[in-house]
Amino acid sequence: AMEDVSAKFVSQKISRTRWRPPPAAALQPPDVFATGSWDNEDNRISLWSADDLGNVGLNGEYHGEPHLLCDIQHNGDVMDMQFLDQERIVVASSTGTVTIFRHHQNNQTLSANHRWERAHYHVDQDTPCGGAACTGVVCNNPEIVTVGEDGRINLFRADQKDAVRTIDNADSSTLHAVTFLRTTEILTVNSIGQLKIWDLRQQRNEPSQIFSLAGDRVPLHCVDRHPNQQHIVATGGQDGMLSIWDIRQGTMPVSLLNAHEAEMWEVHFHPSNPDHLFTCSEDGSLWHWDASTNVSEKPSFLHQGGRSTTYLSHNTINQSVVSAWLSNDPTKDRMEITNLIPNQTLSVNSLDVLGPCLVYGTDAEAIYVNRQLFA
């Protein structure tokens, strides 16, 4: 199974990896991805082509590795990154600045298209060293939402110089990640184990709902919303646990699943096949969670190649829900979990999935592409 994966050593610690969204009508797998780096003397935003990786030789072996299309220097660590559209990437920096980079496909260059200097700051926006890390960014073109260490939420528009809206004291703790629930609502996670929903139509600077992990206030690092069922949300945090939430009911997660042995850095539902979910961790693992039905009828390929497979039972509070993530119908009570990188030792900081393709980046200064996720 591991021979499906091509690696590229890049002499940079990779903090973010993102597939470029395909054109609306495209049926072919994604071919370009972006990476951002951190903790290097010279951090970079890079664009890579993976399009020749699908060429299989006579003996079924893979050819090639991702090749660099273009790159550009980035000031500070890349904390988060999202494509706004096919040409523009929004990047969050540890300096507090948010930058839109544009990819010029005719001559394969990247340029800084727009910058919001010190969108996040601790003391005063004009103090030279007062920047606070921008920890998370999410786009719904032309809108861009950023969150930061300063507990601030900004709403930007790609074509406007100033913020459309800023919620200055949105949180008294660090906001670590943000996602859109729907076009007018966002969801944030923070360093004391809380999820908060914000309705951007409301002028008041208070969340419309607050959810929290019971007991220990474990910092939450990442969040993703189920692509079809907007009430289902997954989060991961410092203890490596995966939490599944139903925001229609209660204020606590419906499932807590034992996962990684260290911080979970990212969680992603597969955008078109959301019974599959992917998580990556500081412990060097990347897990594929398969909650689709009929685990017993799965092809045996999942058990080969030194991958570890575990079955977990999970119980939930509400029985009327049909989603695999919330169901406690006994026949669906098993979930198959596969560690896609059994022997990795350094942190897997980021992953992205699109179609049959997975890309992930690590502190081992390498990026990896798997073009046959569901082989």
Side-chain angles (χ1 to χ4, degrees):
M2 289 303 290
E3 58 274 14
D4 302 345
V5 177
S6 53
K8 174 85 180 172
F9 291 92
V10 293
S11 67
Q12 298 246 306
K13 290 184 183 176
I14 298 298
S15 55
R16 281 295 180 264
T17 57
R18 296 288 180 255
W19 288 111
R20 182 175 72 186
L27 294 171
Q28 73 270 30
D31 59 345
V32 171
F33 64 91
T35 60
S37 70
W38 81 290
D39 197 28
N40 309 287
E41 281 179 32
D42 172 25
N43 289 307
R44 304 193 84 74
I45 305 296
S46 309
L47 279 173
W48 306 85
S49 169
D51 58 2
D52 49 355
L53 300 183
N55 304 332
V56 179
L58 292 172
N59 302 324
E61 78 281 12
Y62 269 71
H63 289 309
E65 52 180 35
H67 70 263
L68 183 66
L69 295 174
C70 49
D71 66 352
I72 192 169
Q73 191 178 1
H74 178 266
N75 193 9
D77 292 338
V78 173
M79 303 293 289
D80 201 10
M81 183 164 71
Q82 280 247 298
F83 276 89
L84 181 67
D85 54 29
Q86 284 200 279
E87 272 152 20
R88 291 177 294 173
I89 313 166
V90 183
V91 181
S93 171
S94 57
T95 65
T97 294
V98 177
T99 310
I100 303 180
F101 291 96
R102 185 180 284 276
H103 176 209
H104 307 274
Q105 300 186 28
N106 53 351
N107 62 357
Q108 292 302 347
T109 56
L110 275 165
S111 65
N113 182 239
H114 188 80
R115 241 187 213 109
W116 291 283
E117 296 281 353
R118 267 195 272 283
H120 295 272
Y121 54 93
H122 280 307
V123 195
D124 169 11
Q125 199 158 16
D126 303 322
T127 314
C129 55
C134 178
T135 50
V137 59
V138 65
C139 305
N140 184 16
N141 191 3
E143 300 198 313
I144 298 163
V145 175
T146 70
V147 297
E149 248 173 31
D150 53 358
R152 220 173 239 103
I153 298 173
N154 290 307
L155 173 61
F156 296 110
R157 266 199 199 96
D159 45 10
Q160 292 183 17
K161 186 171 172 290
D162 297 317
V164 178
R165 169 128 188 241
T166 295
I167 305 177
D168 270 326
N169 300 306
D171 212 296
S172 54
S173 62
T174 295
L175 289 169
H176 279 143
V178 59
T179 189
F180 275 100
L181 278 183
R182 42 183 68 82
T183 49
T184 55
E185 274 187 322
I186 56 165
L187 190 139
T188 58
V189 296
N190 70 12
S191 58
I192 54 170
Q194 294 173 322
L195 267 77
K196 296 182 182 180
I197 296 177
W198 306 82
D199 185 339
L200 298 172
R201 291 164 304 189
Q202 302 288 334
Q203 280 315 301
R204 54 193 195 94
N205 295 336
E206 312 282 305
S208 52
Q209 275 179 282
I210 301 180
F211 303 81
S212 56
L213 293 168
D216 303 335
R217 297 196 147 199
V218 176
L220 291 172
H221 290 303
C222 53
V223 60
D224 196 28
R225 189 206 81 201
H226 191 288
N228 317 333
Q229 294 176 290
Q230 296 173 332
H231 54 278
I232 301 174
V233 171
T235 62
Q238 189 170 295
D239 57 1
M241 297 275 282
L242 174 64
S243 307
I244 306 291
W245 310 69
D246 181 348
I247 60 172
R248 298 171 307 182
Q249 50 163 38
T251 57
M252 288 168 38
V254 287
S255 308
L256 282 172
L257 301 168
N258 273 317
H260 301 279
E261 290 166 24
E263 289 90 347
M264 185 190 296
W265 293 130
E266 289 205 315
V267 55
H268 289 289
F269 286 101
H270 191 285
S272 52
N273 202 344
D275 284 352
H276 297 264
L277 178 135
F278 298 82
T279 58
C280 62
S281 167
E282 178 72 29
D283 68 11
S285 61
L286 191 157
W287 285 17
H288 172 187
W289 305 70
D290 182 354
S292 57
T293 49
N294 311 338
V295 167
S296 57
E297 296 163 28
K298 286 276 159 62
S300 60
F301 80 90
L302 276 174
H303 305 280
Q304 297 163 3
R307 301 183 183 191
S308 55
T309 300
T310 336
Y311 290 101
L312 282 194
S313 290
H314 60 122
N315 302 308
T316 69
I317 299 156
N318 176 3
Q319 291 138 38
S320 63
V321 184
V322 287
S323 166
W325 293 106
L326 303 181
S327 165
N328 67 353
D329 166 351
T331 59
K332 294 195 191 125
D333 201 22
R334 313 190 84 189
M335 184 156 7
E336 188 160 50
I337 301 164
T338 308
N339 180 8
L340 297 184
I341 33 176
N343 306 316
Q344 160 73 8
T345 52
L346 294 177
S347 179
V348 182
N349 296 322
S350 184
L351 71 98
D352 198 22
V353 280
L354 191 58
C357 302
L358 163 73
V359 60
Y360 59 95
T362 72
D363 272 353
E365 304 195 343
I367 46 182
Y368 299 86
V369 178
N370 179 343
R371 307 268 298 172
Q372 298 199 314
L373 259 188
F374 303 110

